[in-house]
Amino acid sequence: MFEWIQKPTLLINQEICRKNIETMVNKANREKLIFRPHFKTHQSVEIGEWFRDFGVSQITVSSVIMAEKFLQAGWKDITIAFPFNLREFRQIKEIKEKCSLNVLIADIESMQFLQKNWANSLGFFIKIDVGNHRVGFSPDSTASIHKILQLANKNRNLIFKGFLAHAGHTYQAKNSNEIKTIHSYSCDVLSRLKNFYKADYPDIIASLGDTPSCSIANDFPGIDEIRPGNFVFYDEMQKQLGSCKNEQIALATACPVVSKNEKRREIVVCGGAVHLSKENIRKKGMQIYGKVVYLSENGWIFPEQEMWVTSLSQEHGKLVVSEEQFPTIQIGDLLGIIPIHSCLTANLFEEYYTLAGKRIKK
Amino acid sequence: MFEWIQKPTLLINQEICRKNIETMVNKANREKLIFRPHFKTHQSVEIGEWFRDFGVSQITVSSVIMAEKFLQAGWKDITIAFPFNLREFRQIKEIKEKCSLNVLIADIESMQFLQKNWANSLGFFIKIDVGNHRVGFSPDSTASIHKILQLANKNRNLIFKGFLAHAGHTYQAKNSNEIKTIHSYSCDVLSRLKNFYKADYPDIIASLGDTPSCSIANDFPGIDEIRPGNFVFYDEMQKQLGSCKNEQIALATACPVVSKNEKRREIVVCGGAVHLSKENIRKKGMQIYGKVVYLSENGWIFPEQEMWVTSLSQEHGKLVVSEEQFPTIQIGDLLGIIPIHSCLTANLFEEYYTLAGKRIKK
């Protein structure tokens, strides 16, 4: 089994992945939400096609390069959910000429630039900071929002699409209830803003998107569009947050065991920071860089007694296992590592492989 | 200036980089050490050629893929300083057919496998754990070392090259003196082992390699070969360890400023975990993901009042700056980010650019 794997290899459980897509599509349909999944997690043209199988035609990306890539793959309705980068003005213009494009305005200066320089139709969302405190206007910044719209009105090519938020602080939540509280607040903020401006802009929408909220919440009052990304694979961090169960995690890095130390009861795999990323969570007083699973032809088997990656260098990963587990793992074996943060792990590989060894290109 | 930069771009100061190579080459020559630099840091065929300009012909890599890449680029004497991965047996065999190759033995099982299966000449080093506690035999594991050599003797194709160590625990040192103490111990351990086995194996050497030791130490008693890698670029972590000065740091990621928040005095750049990596150090109670510098056509200017990247998401980097600095930085500006760990940052880019905008391919 897996004789074709010689080095760290990113395995995808296609069945789980498609099921994750289907579940989120169904939720969006049930809640009458536009589903505009974020493609930054998988960054794969081929996995993008699996979304199309479920009727998805609108997508979110987080960079101009990704927008170019997915445009080339035939996606014609794209939101770049990253603050408008005026240094990429020319590239954004070129993309816009070939598809329907929305950008994000998080500062007055960016709109001043667009207002002066943009000569083509372009949708824009105003980014609202619902508590993540990364970018965007606080919900009470009425003067700034007013100023943005005033500037946009001077350039008839700029079309106000609505308010957009990313409740990234759900990743710091201690439990599902806290995520639900954040979600309610986000819905409330965005829908109130939308309703306030709806008289002047009847077509505006409220767009929200983070995997914890979209996975855990069951209603989305006042929200028109969701943009989760990570749910396509999920990961250990999402598991800890309560966004998913083990059975929903679609990604694991297969790593060859290359060394064992009996005295320290440590296993070393070929699989380091350049494969797993240095994203980590704190658990039982340790920094954890991945969760270790057994591999079978049907996917991953979660051991009863949890095994963790406790330290990483560029190419090495060190695992701590129990006294019973230690002798069952041999040099030359393969172990699976569930990513802490699948977006960053997926970013480090140029391709995925299915359990049957089929290559899925990015 | 830098009008050609639109998105996160890895800048290399070629002059500093060549100077770093020259300095280490000179030190190795002065100390009569074989210089076998680690190419895992830059991973670049073109930068490899800069080493050749200084007479380097032997290299270290940390993966079979890198060995294949540099073999193809004409390097004919390679040590894979990573525990022998028996799943890559076939690839290692193919590389060996085209060049002089050394592998690393860190476990008896790996040697048992090689002894049975290897039919071609191959150099091997025995990996010694000098305190890093990642892989290798502890210096007093005489029975294991004896066993390895006994096994190797049964297969005349396996050539014992000596003892190799990586004192990676220098990265946890609190100051230069602690690094010197670790270094003295490593030299002592390796040279004692070498001397003990020299009667039976007169050609064996002692090989040591980590950038902090090789940068700070001025003598290498009993050591024959050094294998530092990071020194080619250095970074903020090395600066903190005392391995380098600011003027020796050859790498910075140019990042466009995309958002500002006056109330929180925060700057957001296009430049996140997929550009800088999540490697971090703790400083003044904060997690730090990079050091912010100004860019000039001659390189980086370190501001008197330090500016730091204090949080990262996939594509965003958040900076904390002073009250005086805040108004001087505008949306659309470029800032440089000195990597915390240049190996991981360099790994995330497909190319480098010189200050003059010349592409340096990997």
Side-chain angles (χ1 to χ4, degrees), chain A residues 87, chain B residues 1-6 9 11 254 294-300 332 334 353-357:
Chain A
R87 294 184 85 96
Chain B
M1 201 184 52
F2 297 120
E3 284 311 312
W4 52 277
I5 298 181
Q6 284 99 36
T9 300
L11 289 178
Y294 296 114
L295 296 174
S296 88
E297 56 200 0
N298 300 317
W300 4 111
L334 272 188
Y353 284 89
T354 66
L355 298 170

Side-chain angles (χ1 to χ4, degrees), chain A residues 187-207:
Chain A
C187 293
D188 186 48
V189 161
L190 286 188
S191 62
R192 275 207 281 165
L193 278 167
K194 180 184 70 172
N195 293 336
F196 185 79
Y197 287 95
K198 222 170 166 54
D200 290 337
Y201 302 92
D203 295 332
I204 56 171
I205 65 167
S207 172

Side-chain angles (χ1 to χ4, degrees), chain A residues 2-10 253-260 267-272 275-276 295 315-319 329-337 349, chain B residues 64 82-89:
Chain A
F2 297 118
E3 285 310 313
W4 52 277
I5 298 181
Q6 284 100 34
K7 57 177 195 288
T9 300
L10 191 56
T253 310
C255 297
V257 174
V258 293
S259 189
K260 290 180 72 176
I267 306 276
V268 171
V269 295
C270 180
H275 309 103
L276 308 175
L295 296 174
E315 311 270 345
H316 305 69
K318 199 196 270 185
L319 324 181
I329 299 167
Q330 308 305 333
I331 289 176
D333 285 359
L334 271 189
L335 288 170
I337 314 281
F349 284 87
Chain B
V64 172
F82 185 85
F84 178 75
N85 173 12
L86 55 90
R87 294 184 85 96
E88 291 183 294
F89 177 75

Side-chain angles (χ1 to χ4, degrees), chain B residues 280-293:
Chain B
N280 61 82
I281 50 175
R282 199 132 183 102
K283 209 170 159 73
K284 294 177 187 165
M286 294 185 293
Q287 298 300 122
I288 302 293
Y289 300 89
K291 185 183 208 166
V292 186
V293 290

Side-chain angles (χ1 to χ4, degrees), chain B residues 17 40 76 89 104 146 157 159 187 189 201 250 269 310 348 350 361:
Chain B
C17 183
K40 81 181 174 76
K76 296 287 189 189
F89 177 75
L104 212 59
H146 188 70
N157 297 306
I159 303 147
C187 293
V189 161
Y201 302 92
V269 295
T310 53
L348 288 165
E350 280 164 27
K361 63 172 192 293

